[in-house]
Amino acid sequence: MAAQFGRRLRKGAATTAVAAVAVAALSASQAPGVNDHGRQTAADATPSPDASASDGSATGNSPYYTDLPPLNSPSPSPSTGPGPTPSGTSEAGIPATVLDAYKKAEAALRDSKPGCNLPWQLLAAIGRVESGQARGGRVNADGTTIKPILGPQLDGNGFALIKDTDNGAYDGNSTYDQAVGPMQFIPSTWAWAGRDANGDGKKDPNNIYDAALAAGHYLCRNNWDLSDQNDLDRAILSYNNSREYLNLVMRWLDYYRKGTHEVPDGTGTLPDNRSDDGAGTSPSPSAPSTPGAPAAGGSTPKPSPRPEKPGGGGTTTPPKPPTTPPDSPSTPPPPPPTPTDTVHHLEDAGTAKLTAMAGDAFTKRISTRAETKAGKAVAKVRIRFTIVGETDTTFAGGESVATVATNSSGVAVAPALQAGEKTGDVTVRATVVGRTVAGLDYTATVTERAADTLARTGDAALTCTPGGEFANQVEVKATYKGAVADGVAATATLIKSADDPTANDKGPYFKDADGKAVRTLTGLKTDAKGLLKLPKLYADDTTGTFLLRVNTEGGATLTVELTVAAAETSSPSPSASPSA
């Protein structure tokens, strides 16, 4: 998109309408035998609250290619003999490196987010619509585009107004944002969605491997299951919030699902038509336009021929320019300030104390309000919540960054936090997307997993003879507020008495790895069912009653009685009297 996007057809406003009508017509007239289940849902879909409540879209709703897939199947019958290649097979071909990136992204998401059910064909459909499969596979060996692919600057002139958020780091434009790379991420979205898929230490939106994996994670957020048509619609709409875009991506998704094949890099088919018809585009920041230069993607206009003299006798000298210069074109007024421009600071909007045990979801959520200098709430401002520092705590869905638009009260509520296994304080920072104001830090505390109740799972007496071993092992179950308490740390100690919890130096004992007697076990944890089974117990030669105490994080305590006693011997029966 923009100068690097190549050829554009400039057919006036009618072309966009024609493309939209063609998409609708194709929904009803695609190849015979195609199951249209779900297509009506796609065509009638409206942006979901989840889709419109985030960044707006991955691409900033930038223009996209509107070329439709062919009507014929991309997988010709094997019985088709020699002859011309059906037209569908060329469009079905995906450049080798680009196809490899899509499939690797699918495999990565299958491991990290199996519930998402991301098909690589969805990435291929979006890649076709966004960049024509990275301009027909014009990528180098590591998957980086040979030339940057940039969308038009989002200056509000026919497009969304998104002022610079990256100081030109990704798009080279320090005034407005532009969509970047094979999957056309805007810089503010790439800042949190970007991934390093090829392991080179960089998150590069111009690399097809990085961009494809980032797109997969973007489509899999919010716990969406892409095998469900409603979630699939929401995910696609969140990429570009347009019903026509949803229809078009669905058409290509259906097409690629019927079959595709690999073609050499650089030989893929190039699309011709764009949703904006080339209108309102601006040249790349690296190649500013100059008076008399050709328009982006166009050709240098030829000078008009000189008018002939009356009677056809040659040409006339062009008239001299007027001595009074024409009025200079008036400078267009600056665009009105956006809501983001009016934000002066962020305020906490009543966030409660944030505490959760390791592995649990936080029950409270972060709320932030955007305000003007006068303290007035500002609606429709994007607030980015970022979990900073070394922690495995995430937002629901596994992401460390979430962007939410403020509501009519100027408040943005972050998604619920999911505590990881690492305990301690976690910092979540709220910032304004597209404006430099002081961030607001929140502290969330992850505590150790805890139990408030311990109980034995059996009631058999625990007895042993001196020098022997106990027949039954001690097993306990931990609960917290009536629920299973899994992964709770515990200790087990053979104590001296109920009033003296120090370890005993005689009586029952456990064995360490070397077979030596130990009377305190640490580092124990309950399993997924809250169960803890202690190792075998042995007895020395001391007889009596002894106590085993189990303690867990959270204060749960259980004391178990052990008995060491000599085996009972049966008394001999009286001898018979001698006969008289």
Side-chain angles (χ1 to χ4, degrees):
M1 303 177 183
Q4 293 86 345
F5 245 69
R7 293 185 299 141
R8 300 194 183 98
L9 300 183
R10 303 177 177 274
K11 302 176 185 175
T15 304
T16 302
V18 170
V21 171
V23 170
L26 187 59
S27 300
S29 63
Q30 199 91 352
V34 173
N35 182 1
D36 283 332
H37 176 68
R39 291 190 177 183
Q40 188 64 31
T41 302
D44 294 342
T46 56
S48 69
D50 290 336
S52 58
S54 63
D55 250 343
S57 75
T59 68
N61 295 328
S62 293
Y64 52 90
Y65 287 115
T66 58
D67 297 54
L68 299 171
L71 290 174
N72 60 294
S73 170
S75 298
S77 169
S79 62
T80 303
T85 301
S87 61
T89 59
S90 59
E91 286 84 350
I94 299 177
T97 300
V98 178
L99 181 59
D100 183 57
Y102 296 150
K103 291 185 175 181
K104 285 185 175 176
E106 179 197 55
L109 268 298
R110 190 185 306 122
D111 291 337
S112 62
K113 295 185 178 180
C116 176
N117 295 304
L118 171 80
W120 66 260
Q121 291 92 341
L122 176 59
L123 297 176
I126 291 176
R128 170 73 189 199
V129 169
E130 293 295 345
S131 69
Q133 310 299 18
R135 302 296 297 141
R138 285 156 177 79
V139 296
N140 62 20
D142 67 1
T144 302
T145 56
I146 294 171
K147 291 183 179 180
I149 301 175
L150 295 175
Q153 66 178 16
L154 300 175
D155 57 5
N157 181 24
F159 310 114
L161 174 59
I162 303 180
K163 294 188 177 180
D164 175 64
T165 61
D166 65 330
N167 199 28
Y170 295 119
D171 56 13
N173 189 336
S174 58
T175 305
Y176 299 99
D177 270 353
Q178 295 176 251
V180 182
M183 305 304 279
Q184 288 290 278
F185 279 97
I186 54 174
S188 61
T189 303
W190 183 261
W192 63 266
R195 294 292 191 278
D196 175 21
N198 60 0
D200 63 358
K202 297 185 297 182
K203 299 176 182 178
D204 184 2
N206 297 298
N207 181 275
I208 184 60
Y209 288 98
D210 292 0
L213 183 60
H217 275 279
Y218 184 90
L219 294 164
C220 286
R221 70 199 196 286
N222 298 328
N223 288 322
W224 283 328
D225 177 0
L226 302 185
S227 64
D228 178 88
Q229 186 65 48
N230 290 328
D231 280 357
L232 179 60
D233 292 349
R234 293 186 184 98
I236 296 172
L237 283 167
S238 78
Y239 211 90
N240 191 310
N241 202 350
S242 159
R243 188 175 301 177
E244 289 77 13
Y245 183 88
L246 171 62
N247 288 338
L248 185 60
V249 170
M250 285 300 301
R251 299 292 80 75
W252 280 106
L253 173 59
D254 289 344
Y255 183 75
Y256 285 132
R257 275 175 165 163
K258 296 172 197 169
T260 187
H261 59 278
E262 176 185 299
V263 298
D265 288 346
T267 65
T269 58
L270 300 178
D272 291 318
N273 305 294
R274 277 199 339 172
S275 59
D276 68 334
D277 235 6
T281 57
S282 58
S284 163
S286 61
S289 61
T290 56
S299 57
T300 305
K302 297 180 180 180
S304 301
R306 294 182 178 180
E308 293 185 356
K309 292 181 180 180
T315 59
T316 59
T317 302
K320 293 181 179 180
T323 56
T324 304
D327 293 337
S328 300
S330 60
T331 302
T338 66
T340 301
D341 295 330
T342 67
V343 177
H344 178 265
H345 60 272
L346 296 176
E347 289 284 346
D348 176 49
T351 302
K353 185 177 180 181
L354 300 165
T355 304
M357 287 194 301
D360 287 354
F362 284 76
T363 57
K364 307 297 183 182
R365 296 165 68 178
I366 296 171
S367 297
T368 302
R369 183 171 56 251
E371 296 184 354
T372 65
K373 188 173 183 180
K376 185 178 179 181
V378 184
K380 298 181 180 180
V381 172
R382 292 174 294 159
I383 305 298
R384 179 177 295 131
F385 298 95
T386 305
I387 300 172
V388 298
E390 293 295 326
T391 179
D392 53 356
T393 292
T394 64
F395 291 111
E399 302 292 350
S400 60
V401 179
T403 305
V404 182
T406 57
N407 60 20
S408 58
S409 300
V411 175
V413 180
L417 287 164
Q418 175 67 42
E421 295 301 321
K422 187 177 290 187
T423 59
D425 289 341
V426 177
T427 298
V428 181
R429 182 165 299 150
T431 55
V432 181
V433 176
R435 185 160 176 80
T436 304
V437 298
L440 192 59
D441 284 356
Y442 295 84
T443 299
T445 302
V446 180
T447 63
E448 295 280 357
R449 293 173 183 255
D452 56 16
T453 304
L454 280 176
R456 279 190 66 193
T457 58
D459 56 4
L462 299 168
T463 61
C464 181
T465 57
E469 67 178 51
F470 286 80
N472 299 309
Q473 291 177 244
V474 177
E475 183 181 65
V476 299
K477 182 174 183 178
T479 57
Y480 183 78
K481 294 182 178 179
V484 167
D486 61 313
V488 178
T491 61
T493 306
L494 291 149
I495 60 176
K496 289 184 177 179
S497 69
D499 299 324
D500 186 356
T502 57
N504 209 336
D505 55 1
K506 58 185 177 180
Y509 61 89
F510 300 105
K511 287 183 180 180
D512 64 12
D514 297 325
K516 295 180 180 179
V518 292
R519 291 185 168 87
T520 298
L521 297 178
T522 60
L524 305 173
K525 278 194 175 182
T526 60
D527 64 14
K529 297 181 179 179
L531 299 176
L532 174 63
K533 192 170 187 177
L534 299 180
K536 279 187 176 183
L537 279 162
Y538 302 86
D540 62 13
D541 293 333
T542 309
T543 59
T545 300
F546 302 90
L547 300 178
L548 167 67
R549 181 163 291 171
V550 182
N551 297 305
T552 66
E553 187 72 30
T557 300
L558 176 67
T559 302
V560 180
E561 190 173 279
L562 309 172
T563 301
V564 180
E568 295 183 2
T569 57
S570 57
S571 57
S573 59
S575 58
S577 301
S579 58

